[in-house]
Amino acid sequence: MAKSTLLSSSIARKVAMALSGLFLISFLSLHFFINFISVIDQDTFNEFSHFMGNNGLIQFVMQPILVAGVVFHFVMGFILELQNRKARPVQYAKFNGAANSSWASRNMIISGMVVLAFLGLHFYDFWIPEMMYKYVDQMPIDETRYYWEMVHKFESPVRVGLYCLSFVLLSLHLWHGFNSSFQSVGFNNKFSKSLHKLGYAFAIIVPFGFIFIALFHHFNN
């Protein structure tokens, strides 16, 4: 009975981890879409950014849910990693994991920690200044400031380099995580192969799309 309960608890954690990951992927897609607009049209990017930054539903409902989702996903990731390590036999240390699994799948905790650190930097760069601007300094509303604020963040080559490295690791994290999420929730049918291909495409297009955006603004402004 104890083993059955432990197994059920482990499966529940994996499902919760998967669902929170899929939720964060939806946010990442929206974030990428808005940022990519900055490459195409400055005014449209400012309009989207102003709407996102001043819509009550997004600011006071969706944003707290997003933060909670990020914290939950990474805390659950650490818990599962510790659980997996405790479950491994001593002989596992001699096992050649590289022969049976990808680097991404064996190092999800490493790529996840780097991504978490990047999110902290992202909050420091964008979210905190935004809160200071609107609620502390109470500056007059300027609907055209968003584009140049973002471009300013990409002036430093060191910051751009760290940004690009973070998204390379995010790509590796997504490469394994996207498809693992569908397996965890039991999605296994005739559409599985197509979803796997979609997951791999997403893991390449979106992170490297963010890298393109950073490099574009770094070299063009």
Side-chain angles (χ1 to χ4, degrees):
M1 178 67 100
K3 288 185 177 180
S4 177
T5 302
L6 183 62
L7 179 61
S8 298
S9 176
S10 177
I11 293 173
R13 289 193 186 100
K14 289 181 179 179
V15 171
M17 177 78 170
L19 292 175
S20 64
L22 292 173
F23 167 72
L24 295 178
I25 283 173
S26 65
F27 160 75
L28 185 66
S29 301
L30 177 62
H31 195 54
F32 171 68
F33 171 74
I34 295 175
N35 278 21
F36 190 74
I37 291 175
S38 68
V39 173
I40 301 171
D41 186 78
Q42 175 180 333
D43 293 334
T44 304
F45 172 76
N46 282 329
E47 290 176 8
F48 268 99
S49 298
H50 181 72
F51 173 79
M52 296 293 289
N54 292 274
N55 182 280
L57 177 63
I58 294 172
Q59 290 296 302
F60 303 112
V61 179
M62 295 305 298
Q63 192 164 260
I65 292 175
L66 171 63
V67 173
V70 169
V71 173
F72 178 85
H73 183 74
F74 284 99
V75 169
M76 191 61 64
F78 291 127
I79 291 174
L80 287 173
E81 178 66 15
L82 291 173
Q83 177 182 312
N84 290 337
R85 289 187 178 185
K86 288 180 180 179
R88 291 170 187 161
V90 176
Q91 292 84 355
Y92 184 83
K94 301 178 182 178
F95 179 69
N96 183 14
N100 295 276
S101 59
S102 66
W103 185 94
S105 64
R106 298 193 313 275
N107 295 278
M108 287 292 282
I109 193 70
I110 296 175
S111 59
M113 288 175 66
V114 174
V115 172
L116 183 60
F118 166 74
L119 286 174
L121 175 63
H122 189 71
F123 268 81
Y124 175 79
D125 270 349
F126 293 96
W127 186 79
I128 293 178
E130 182 72 10
M131 296 300 102
M132 294 292 292
Y133 182 94
K134 290 191 296 187
Y135 302 116
V136 179
D137 299 333
Q138 296 185 333
M139 301 292 289
I141 295 176
D142 180 6
E143 298 182 14
T144 66
R145 64 188 171 87
Y146 303 97
Y147 178 83
W148 292 111
E149 284 180 356
M150 184 181 71
V151 168
H152 174 68
K153 298 299 181 182
F154 294 132
E155 288 179 354
S156 167
V158 174
R159 186 179 294 273
V160 170
L162 291 173
Y163 188 91
C164 293
L165 175 62
S166 298
F167 273 103
V168 169
L169 289 171
L170 175 62
S171 177
L172 294 172
H173 194 80
L174 290 170
W175 184 268
H176 174 72
F178 191 102
N179 292 311
S180 178
S181 296
F182 282 107
Q183 291 177 3
S184 296
V185 297
F187 192 89
N188 187 18
N189 54 39
K190 64 181 180 179
F191 300 108
S192 296
K193 288 186 177 180
S194 297
L195 275 175
H196 280 301
K197 292 179 181 178
L198 175 63
Y200 293 139
F202 185 92
I204 294 173
I205 294 171
V206 172
F208 283 90
F210 275 108
I211 290 174
F212 167 76
I213 295 168
L215 294 175
F216 175 87
H217 290 304
H218 177 69
F219 289 110
N220 286 278
N221 293 288

